[in-house]
Amino acid sequence: MGSRLKIIIPQRELKRKVKELAARISQDYRDKNPVLVGILKGSFVFMADLVREMKIPHQVDFIAVASYGAHMHASGVVRWLKDLGTNIEGRDVVIVEDIIDSGLTLDYIRKNLLTRSPNTLKIVTLLDKKKKRSVRIPLKYVGFSIPDRFVVGYGLDYDENYRNLPYIAELEDQTDSLR
Ligand code: IMP
Ligand code: MG
């Protein structure tokens, strides 16, 4: 299968947006000492850039899950691969996600974390594919709303590739095109 990359969010726009999100979070959580929880693997690049723009004390931790489903679609069935090392009871938690599509993966994680009695639990996502949402999830901070296209780069993968790209690109399938 041939495929090509079309940049939809260039590096400088990502940088500007991440800075803006970090400023908002730093403002909202001043004096709160929040825990930022990254969802691996996709969020690792966003998380690394976000925390380096944060102006307040905070900690980081990670959760790793595998969402079952064919290459490009999540099924909502989630396998827990790595849990938090932090006790989040009474803490102000901010989940850091790369992209929300159907929302099934994050809904599952969110409900699980809520059973641990955090003081507050909010979500920051870099990308939001609103059109595909099948469950209602409250999103506190959204970087970009994007159309229902498969994207890679800045942590996001297709079959574990392209995570290193410094921009967000649409992966265009060329099987039925002669370009
Ligand atoms: P959801 O459960 O349908 O919201 O799927 C969420 C997960 O699917 C994300 O955390 C990503 O790992 C993956 N995903 C969804 N859309 C894309 C995409 O366009 N590119 C790469 N991964 C995606
Ligand atoms: Mg993925």
Side-chain angles (χ1 to χ4, degrees):
M1 180 187 88
S3 53
R4 50 165 248 157
L5 296 168
K6 180 179 148 201
I7 297 178
I8 61 164
I9 309 174
Q11 190 170 10
R12 64 178 178 282
E13 277 193 45
L14 288 171
K15 204 167 178 170
R16 190 175 52 77
K17 184 64 76 176
V18 169
K19 215 169 172 162
E20 178 196 313
L21 290 169
R24 285 173 57 198
I25 295 168
S26 299
Q27 173 68 22
D28 294 350
Y29 288 84
R30 61 190 184 280
D31 311 320
K32 295 264 195 216
N33 192 31
V35 190
L36 273 59
V37 173
I39 313 299
L40 295 172
K41 301 176 213 170
S43 73
F44 83 106
V45 177
F46 175 41
M47 180 91 155
D49 284 349
L50 186 74
V51 298
R52 284 179 293 174
E53 297 289 349
M54 297 267 299
K55 309 294 186 208
I56 58 165
H58 65 277
Q59 291 83 49
V60 301
D61 204 341
F62 294 92
I63 284 171
V65 295
S67 352
Y68 285 119
H71 289 313
M72 291 185 171
H73 301 284
S75 62
V77 182
V78 172
R79 187 161 54 106
W80 215 258
L81 301 178
K82 184 215 172 295
D83 202 350
L84 292 175
T86 311
N87 177 4
I88 58 167
E89 186 179 346
R91 298 295 305 274
D92 292 290
V93 176
V94 182
I95 297 177
V96 180
E97 182 59 302
D98 52 353
I99 187 166
I100 302 178
D101 190 11
S102 69
L104 293 169
T105 308
L106 196 57
D107 187 52
Y108 181 93
I109 293 169
R110 183 174 163 272
K111 284 180 176 148
N112 180 292
L113 295 190
L114 281 173
T115 66
R116 307 180 196 190
S117 309
N119 184 42
T120 60
L121 180 63
K122 306 284 183 198
I123 296 166
V124 53
T125 186
L126 180 67
L127 305 174
D128 180 15
K129 280 192 207 171
K130 273 205 188 75
K131 216 175 142 218
K132 289 278 286 296
R133 197 64 34 80
S134 60
V135 281
R136 208 192 76 77
I137 302 185
L139 300 177
K140 177 88 193 245
Y141 309 95
V142 174
F144 302 90
S145 289
I146 61 165
D148 181 21
R149 299 278 162 69
F150 198 84
V151 294
V152 295
Y154 203 67
L156 289 152
D157 73 303
Y158 174 67
D159 260 359
E160 296 302 326
N161 292 305
Y162 306 110
R163 292 193 195 274
N164 60 307
L165 300 177
Y167 45 77
I168 299 285
E170 194 180 306
L171 194 60
E172 297 179 315
D173 186 355
Q174 285 201 299
T175 37
D176 52 6
S177 131
L178 292 175
R179 265 174 307 168

